[in-house]
Amino acid sequence: MKKLFAKILIFFLICSNVQISYASNTPANASVLKIREIETRYFDINDEKTVLKAIVNTLQDNGFVIQNIEEELGYIRAKKEDKLKRTLKGRVAVYSVDMALNAVLLAFSFGLNPSAVINIANDTIRIKNEVSCHTVIFDCNVTVESVGNRTKVRFNVIEKVLENADGYTTVKASPRQVIRHYEPEIFNEFFSQVDKNLFFEKNSL
């Protein structure tokens, strides 16, 4: 029994030192120019105002709320808030081991260890918080610029995962994860929708 207790204690100490790293979707060995290429598209139209309207419509179609538009600078900022699964398995493992350790302590004390009971209750809440949906905020910035007979659009999006604090009622304002997305499929879909909205704008549909 002592060996089992020692193993659990060692495992918990190791897990408790695991650092929760910020997620990154940066392509391997991607240069600044490569990232800029992923985020940028050129449209065969020399009309920034029409392109801006198409972008606004695209963002709103996808649930974004426009935060700021600087028409002279060709700049748009928008935000979207959602509830999504963003579980960190390392945290669940640490809380589970801590709960098991406190259960052993409780057993050794014949149920007379109040701190172990409190810790088990706290770990239960932490695990519930971790496996439940988190508030996720998507911040995006779009810049529009005329280049010859075309219009250049650069789009980037940052995901901020907020921390659940106590069950499902309280959310901490500071993000526990900040992810800048570079997945080509996200940009391909966005620019495809902008292209469709440009068609609607040009044809007054």
Side-chain angles (χ1 to χ4, degrees):
M1 191 67 172
K2 289 183 179 179
K3 288 183 179 180
L4 176 61
F5 179 83
K7 287 180 180 179
I8 293 173
L9 181 59
I10 290 170
F11 183 67
F12 171 70
L13 290 173
I14 292 172
C15 289
S16 64
N17 288 322
V18 174
Q19 296 295 316
I20 304 301
S21 61
Y22 286 93
S24 175
N25 291 313
T26 310
N29 302 318
S31 65
V32 173
L33 290 177
K34 180 62 178 177
I35 291 171
R36 189 176 296 178
E37 182 183 338
I38 293 171
E39 297 178 336
T40 305
R41 291 292 186 281
Y42 289 85
F43 294 92
D44 294 326
I45 178 175
N46 187 12
D47 186 344
E48 287 187 35
K49 189 173 182 179
T50 299
V51 175
L52 282 169
K53 286 182 179 179
I55 292 169
V56 168
N57 287 332
T58 300
L59 292 169
Q60 290 179 332
D61 289 344
N62 286 280
F64 282 87
V65 177
I66 307 301
Q67 302 290 300
N68 188 27
I69 299 179
E70 296 288 345
E71 193 170 329
E72 292 183 3
L73 298 175
Y75 171 78
I76 301 172
R77 180 174 176 267
K79 183 173 76 172
K80 177 182 178 179
E81 186 174 311
D82 207 344
K83 282 281 190 179
L84 300 169
K85 281 280 187 179
R86 290 294 185 267
T87 301
L88 293 176
K89 295 180 180 179
R91 284 191 173 190
V92 175
V94 170
Y95 299 148
S96 298
V97 172
D98 187 43
M99 185 184 295
L101 176 61
N102 280 285
V104 172
L105 292 174
L106 194 63
F108 275 127
S109 67
F110 301 100
L112 301 176
N113 189 328
S115 63
V117 175
I118 293 171
N119 289 336
I120 289 172
N122 287 337
D123 285 329
T124 301
I125 292 173
R126 293 188 186 110
I127 292 173
K128 183 185 290 185
N129 286 342
E130 193 56 47
V131 300
S132 65
C133 289
H134 287 73
T135 298
V136 179
I137 295 174
F138 295 95
D139 273 324
C140 75
N141 296 280
V142 189
T143 55
V144 179
E145 178 185 358
S146 292
V147 179
N149 294 323
R150 299 191 296 172
T151 300
K152 183 176 77 173
V153 177
R154 186 175 181 184
F155 165 71
N156 59 62
V157 59
I158 296 173
E159 174 183 331
K160 299 175 183 177
V161 183
L162 304 189
E163 187 75 273
N164 291 338
D166 60 346
Y168 306 100
T169 57
T170 303
V171 176
K172 293 182 179 178
S174 57
R176 69 113 174 261
Q177 279 184 301
V178 179
I179 309 163
R180 183 164 177 176
H181 287 281
Y182 299 100
E183 299 91 330
E185 56 269 20
I186 292 177
F187 297 91
N188 291 337
E189 178 61 25
F190 174 77
F191 290 123
S192 175
Q193 291 184 33
V194 171
D195 197 34
K196 290 177 182 177
N197 279 311
L198 269 175
F199 175 80
F200 295 150
E201 286 293 329
K202 288 187 288 187
N203 293 277
S204 301
L205 298 177

